[in-house]
Amino acid sequence: MRKLIIMLTLVLTLLCGTVGTYAATDPNVILVNPVSKSTVTTNNLLISVKLTEPKTIRVKVYEKKQIVNGTYAAVNLNALTATSSSLNTSDFSDVIVAAPPVYESKNNLSFYTKQVNVSGPGLYRIEINTLDASGKVTATNNSYVIVKEKATEDTKIFDAPQSGTMQFLQNLLKNIFGD
């Protein structure tokens, strides 16, 4: 009998302990941009959240850092893909990048948009908290995005020699717009 009580207590502790650690997601709060588990090449993130009910939300952006030789460093992007099903983010620490103020919507359809400058390439987590009237978090939506360095573009498109029709169009565009 004693073994049964200990076993039952252990099972209930495991079940109840894991249920309380995960907040529910809110189906009326949807991250539109950037797409969850995507890779983007940019110097900043344009975050857009769609609200399909009157809600109050708070959006936070975290950069995931790993400890290398005792200091925090950006996540090695060569060994990581955001679409990987084995994305184990528990090995990383969160460093807050942006925590804009609370946004309150009174309409049945509204959008929250914010541009966040990122410190560089790395793994970023976008956390959207749904708040009740007292400011308590009732639901949390998380999304992971890989930011890669934006490549510099070569703007000298007219330097390569062309022939035929392309040469004519190139000369016409040069005459209209200049070098």
Side-chain angles (χ1 to χ4, degrees):
M1 182 69 169
R2 185 175 181 186
K3 288 182 181 180
L4 179 64
I5 292 173
I6 292 173
M7 186 60 122
L8 186 60
T9 304
L10 181 62
V11 169
L12 286 175
T13 303
L14 289 174
L15 289 175
C16 293
T18 57
V19 171
T21 59
Y22 297 103
T25 60
D26 190 344
N28 297 311
V29 177
I30 302 151
L31 181 67
V32 177
N33 190 47
V35 176
S36 181
K37 294 186 178 180
S38 65
T39 301
V40 296
T41 53
T42 184
N43 297 331
N44 53 51
L45 291 174
L46 180 62
I47 298 171
S48 182
V49 180
K50 180 171 99 173
L51 304 165
T52 57
E53 278 186 355
K55 296 273 183 183
T56 303
I57 63 168
R58 180 178 44 230
V59 179
K60 294 180 184 177
V61 179
Y62 296 94
E63 181 177 6
K64 293 296 210 176
K65 298 277 189 168
Q66 60 188 17
I67 297 179
V68 177
N69 297 329
T71 59
Y72 286 114
V75 174
N76 181 2
L77 296 178
N78 295 329
L80 179 73
T81 58
T83 57
S84 171
S85 59
S86 63
L87 181 63
N88 186 6
T89 58
S90 63
D91 297 338
F92 309 126
S93 297
D94 285 333
V95 176
I96 193 153
V97 175
V102 173
Y103 173 75
E104 184 176 357
S105 168
K106 298 186 187 296
N107 299 323
N108 284 332
L109 179 62
S110 61
F111 289 89
Y112 168 80
T113 304
K114 177 74 175 171
Q115 181 176 332
V116 176
N117 293 325
V118 296
S119 60
L123 176 64
Y124 291 85
R125 178 172 65 96
I126 301 168
E127 177 183 279
I128 306 166
N129 294 322
T130 305
L131 308 173
D132 63 7
S134 65
K136 181 181 172 192
V137 176
T138 59
T140 302
N141 296 7
N142 285 303
S143 175
Y144 292 93
V145 176
I146 291 177
V147 174
K148 292 195 174 182
E149 191 171 350
K150 188 175 184 178
T152 57
E153 297 176 7
D154 186 15
T155 58
K156 296 184 177 186
I157 60 171
F158 295 122
D159 288 348
Q162 302 291 329
S163 62
T165 308
M166 290 305 293
Q167 182 68 38
F168 172 75
L169 290 174
Q170 179 179 340
N171 291 337
L172 180 65
L173 289 173
K174 277 186 179 179
N175 289 332
I176 294 172
F177 298 109
D179 289 329

